[in-house]
Amino acid sequence: LKCTRPASETLDFMHKTAVAPESLLSSASAVRPTWGSAQPVSSPWTGARECGSLEAVVAVYGAAAPEAAARLPVATAPRTHKEHPFVFFHQRKTGGSTIRTQMVYSAKKHSLSSWVPCSDKVPCESYYAPPHPPFYAVYGGHLYWASVQKALLRQQGIHVGGAATPQMHCFTVFREPVSRVASCWHAPARRLLDIS
């Protein structure tokens, strides 16, 4: 692919004129998004079909990626431990069972204690984080926020009942809601078929 403009010039044009990459997929002139009617903008891709292809857009962004990555700040997250635990809030039908399995594996690999339902003798139908010692460095499951908050505040020696928020790293996964509800609806039927 050979475009008439260098990648840096192309990116500058895109940012200055608010050209969305989707608009580059056709050979028509680029369009600036506005609240009123869309206004045509002169574009380096007008009439140059090969420069408006998806491959060309990927090439432009790909060429600029190393420079953009070099400008990102380097940050290191604090290490997970009992005073600053990692919590995975597993929403049903979002692929969380696989994440929980990997969490338990990683916790053991790094010698961290974990409390994850369906592993290490923790009952599968556990929705409340354990409120009393022993406390853990890794929690994961279909957990209620209030139970996690109380357990971690106790774990960190902070009075439960105030507006305090415990120190923790947390993570969850969202899924497109319609397919998630459909999956929740069909899951019991699949379990019944597996049993019979």
Side-chain angles (χ1 to χ4, degrees), residues 110-157:
H110 295 284
S111 302
L112 296 171
S113 59
S114 66
W115 187 89
V116 179
C118 299
S119 67
D120 298 327
K121 299 180 183 175
V122 177
C124 290
E125 296 298 318
S126 299
Y127 303 102
Y128 296 92
H132 302 290
F135 293 119
Y136 302 89
V138 176
Y139 294 85
H142 301 294
L143 303 172
Y144 297 119
W145 161 245
S147 77
V148 171
Q149 182 182 26
K150 286 178 186 174
L152 296 185
L153 287 173
R154 284 189 184 113
Q155 182 171 328
Q156 295 166 9

Side-chain angles (χ1 to χ4, degrees), residues 33-164:
T34 61
W35 289 107
S37 61
Q39 303 294 320
V41 176
S42 139
S43 166
W45 296 281
T46 304
R49 188 168 187 81
E50 70 279 0
C51 291
S53 69
L54 179 59
E55 292 84 9
V57 174
V58 170
V60 167
Y61 277 103
E67 181 187 339
R71 289 186 300 209
L72 291 173
V74 177
T76 306
R79 194 159 166 80
T80 296
H81 48 79
K82 284 185 182 180
E83 289 75 36
H84 202 115
F86 179 86
V87 181
F88 172 55
F89 290 96
H90 178 185
Q91 297 182 47
R92 292 187 187 280
K93 312 317 285 175
T94 60
S97 298
T98 302
I99 293 170
R100 285 164 49 173
T101 301
Q102 289 302 311
M103 284 176 54
V104 171
Y105 170 78
S106 293
K108 287 178 182 176
K109 182 178 174 183
H110 295 284
S111 302
L112 296 171
S113 59
S114 66
W115 187 89
V116 179
C118 299
S119 67
D120 298 327
K121 299 180 183 175
V122 177
C124 290
E125 296 298 318
S126 299
Y127 303 102
Y128 296 92
H132 302 290
F135 293 119
Y136 302 89
V138 176
Y139 294 85
H142 301 294
L143 303 172
Y144 297 119
W145 161 245
S147 77
V148 171
Q149 182 182 26
K150 286 178 186 174
L152 296 185
L153 287 173
R154 284 189 184 113
Q155 182 171 328
Q156 295 166 9
I158 301 170
H159 172 70
V160 176

Side-chain angles (χ1 to χ4, degrees), residues 11-32:
L11 288 174
D12 285 345
F13 172 82
M14 289 170 65
H15 293 292
K16 287 177 187 169
T17 59
V19 174
E22 298 82 27
S23 68
L24 304 178
L25 299 179
S26 71
S27 61
S29 63
V31 174
R32 178 185 309 201

